[in-house]
Amino acid sequence: VEFKLDKREDATSSIDRFIRTYPRHPHIDYAHYLKAVINFDRNISLLTRVARVDVSARDLNGPLQSFADFNEVIRRYPNSIYAVDARQRMVYLRNQLAKHEMPIGLYYYSREAWVASANRGKFTLENYPQSQYEGDAVALMAATYTKLGQKALADDARRVLELNQPDHPWLQGDWPNYPWMIRKLNPFAGEKS
């Protein structure tokens, strides 16, 4: 009821109480799933949907908690009817979280903070594997390692990118001007008004 009334904190508290009180309830999987959905929707308001605001550029506490909650549903209840939806939402969240990291890495790159830029690419690969932004993270690392003079690391990153995304714009020499990345993160960049 509280969730439908848009009282998310109250709903989460009620669900947590329910989970603690009735840990063996036949529908406890739904309680865990509902908690994850509440956190999933935390940063997505009607205005966000209508205005098409990029959720990845906002506070990530809700998505991070939601990712952990959906993971808990899958871990505890792999055969639940909610596990399939939980997996799909985790894929979406993983892409949003990885998308959040790329502008930060690009910012460090533009400021010539090479180590921070390479670390952001590495962080993206380690924490959000199989996201849509893996190739971009590898390209960022390859470009950054080149700037650092780390030829072996740059060559390794290039080889990984060539094997996994041979048509990636960075391999075509579209760097350091990287408009491909800006367009991917902001589809309106580069448009003339």
Side-chain angles (χ1 to χ4, degrees), residues 27-47:
H27 300 291
I28 195 72
D29 59 337
Y30 178 69
H32 284 277
Y33 173 77
L34 185 57
K35 181 180 174 185
V37 169
I38 290 169
N39 284 321
F40 183 82
D41 287 339
R42 182 166 287 171
N43 286 345
I44 303 174
S45 64
L46 178 62
L47 180 62

Side-chain angles (χ1 to χ4, degrees), residues 130-151:
Q130 301 174 343
S131 77
Q132 293 174 333
Y133 297 91
E134 270 188 328
D136 297 338
V138 174
L140 179 63
M141 291 170 61
T144 304
Y145 289 144
T146 300
K147 291 289 188 179
L148 283 169
Q150 297 290 323
K151 185 170 175 16

Side-chain angles (χ1 to χ4, degrees), residues 14 16-17 21 39 46 51 53 57 65 84 88 106-107 111-112 117 142 172 176 183 190:
S14 295
D16 284 339
R17 262 192 318 277
T21 307
N39 284 321
L46 178 62
V53 174
Q65 184 60 52
V84 172
Q88 290 173 341
L106 289 170
Y107 173 79
R111 298 289 182 213
E112 299 181 4
S117 178
Q172 313 309 318
R183 272 196 300 282

